[in-house]
């Protein structure tokens, strides 16, 4: 699914803000001696990675050509010999 550029920018901004809040929360928990500080720090890092991935998705890429069936042809002489009919299921008919 394609998202518009403004939506991706909004998503990246929200993720960056969430990452900052989670980092602040981790520092506050660590100062209080809470064992949850590491969890807050990990969640902050994950939110930051998601924000960076959203920003990377904004990069413009050149258009790629569509693959056509004619492009799939193999060069002459490199074709493998075909197996006899019926051999793909163990050979013979039942």
């Amino acid at each position: 699914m394609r998202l518009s550029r403004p939506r991706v920018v909004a998503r990246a901004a929200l993720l960056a803000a969430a990452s900052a809040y989670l980092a602040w929360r981790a520092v506050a928990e660590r100062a209080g001696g809470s064992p949850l500080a590491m969890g807050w720090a990990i969640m902050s890092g994950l939110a930051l990675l998601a924000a960076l991935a959203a920003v990377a998705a904004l990069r413009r890429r050149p258009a790629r050509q569509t693959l056509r069936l004619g492009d799939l042809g193999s060069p002459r002489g490199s074709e493998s010999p075909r197996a006899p009919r019926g051999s793909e299921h163990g050979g013979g008919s039942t």
Side-chain angles (χ1 to χ4, degrees):
M1 175 170 57
R2 295 188 118 184
L3 296 176
S4 65
R5 289 181 70 82
R7 283 188 183 193
V8 175
V9 168
R11 178 176 286 179
L14 286 172
L15 283 166
S19 176
Y21 168 75
L22 291 169
W24 170 76
R25 188 77 192 253
V27 170
E29 293 287 330
R30 185 171 178 185
S34 174
L36 294 176
M38 183 58 75
W40 290 108
I42 290 172
M43 293 302 292
S44 172
L46 289 174
L48 184 61
L49 284 175
L52 291 175
V55 169
L58 288 173
R59 184 174 57 97
R60 296 215 184 254
R61 295 176 192 88
R64 289 185 275 167
Q65 265 191 336
T66 307
L67 180 65
R68 292 180 176 36
L69 291 178
D71 297 341
L72 296 177
S74 61
R76 294 203 179 259
S78 66
E79 295 150 89
S80 61
R82 278 186 75 156
R85 270 201 118 125
S87 64
E88 64 268 1
H89 297 293
S93 60
T94 53

